[in-house]
Amino acid sequence: MTNPFDFSDYETSRDRPSTDAPSPWPAAGQFGSTSADPFGSQPTTFAPTAAAEPFAAAPSPRPRVTIARGEPPVILLVLAGFVAVAGLVVAIALGSITAVVVVAWVLAGPVAFALLARFTVLDTAQRAMPVYLRSKGAERGYWVVAVLALAGIVASAWHIAEWAGRL
């Protein structure tokens, strides 16, 4: 049986060491000692000591690792709810003043829904964390704010439509 790792048939003259040409490498004993350990003369810093005995020292406390945890950004939800309620109240209370009703529409519409959209983006980023503290209040609050914003939009749009119908 032949050796599968025998590549002697494929050697070239370049692969064989030459005995007549001087080697560019220094001889084995030319520099320093001929011992195999180059750091043998230096003292070791890892020498065993009396304190290295097993069970000799008190166990060190385990390092505490903090795990990133996410939670819904409730402040944005509260702010969106406040803006939606303000738009709804202004539309109902001051519906006869057209300029104020337009401001109420802007508050209840684009501003409240922009805050809800920002809440959703930040909440999605928080959900991507290793631990997410889900809140039923935040989930329900999202839909309450959306309904309040829609009510503010409808109330202010109704007053704007009445004004436009009287022109």
Side-chain angles (χ1 to χ4, degrees):
M1 177 170 239
T2 62
N3 184 359
F5 299 106
D6 182 21
F7 297 105
S8 61
D9 295 341
Y10 302 104
E11 283 184 353
T12 63
S13 62
R14 183 179 59 174
D15 297 332
R16 286 187 218 112
S18 171
T19 56
D20 51 346
S23 173
W25 300 100
Q30 188 174 354
F31 297 111
S33 68
T34 58
S35 69
D37 187 12
F39 303 107
S41 63
Q42 297 178 359
T44 177
T45 58
F46 299 109
T49 61
E53 294 292 321
F55 307 111
S60 62
R62 191 172 185 179
R64 297 186 70 77
V65 177
T66 59
I67 297 175
R69 56 180 193 174
E71 52 191 26
V74 179
I75 190 73
L76 281 174
L77 194 59
V78 170
L79 188 59
F82 177 73
V83 169
V85 167
L88 178 63
V89 168
V90 168
I92 291 173
L94 302 172
S96 60
I97 306 169
T98 306
V100 175
V101 173
V102 170
V103 170
W105 180 85
V106 168
L107 282 176
V111 174
F113 279 106
L115 289 170
L116 277 178
R118 187 70 182 147
F119 167 81
T120 303
V121 168
L122 292 178
D123 188 44
T124 303
Q126 293 293 316
R127 287 175 188 251
M129 290 188 159
V131 176
Y132 178 73
L133 302 174
R134 193 174 127 184
S135 170
K136 282 284 190 184
E139 290 177 12
R140 291 181 182 140
Y142 177 85
W143 293 109
V144 168
V145 170
V147 168
L148 285 173
L150 285 174
I153 291 169
V154 168
S156 58
W158 184 271
H159 288 292
I160 292 170
E162 283 182 347
W163 168 77
R166 282 188 242 136
L167 287 179

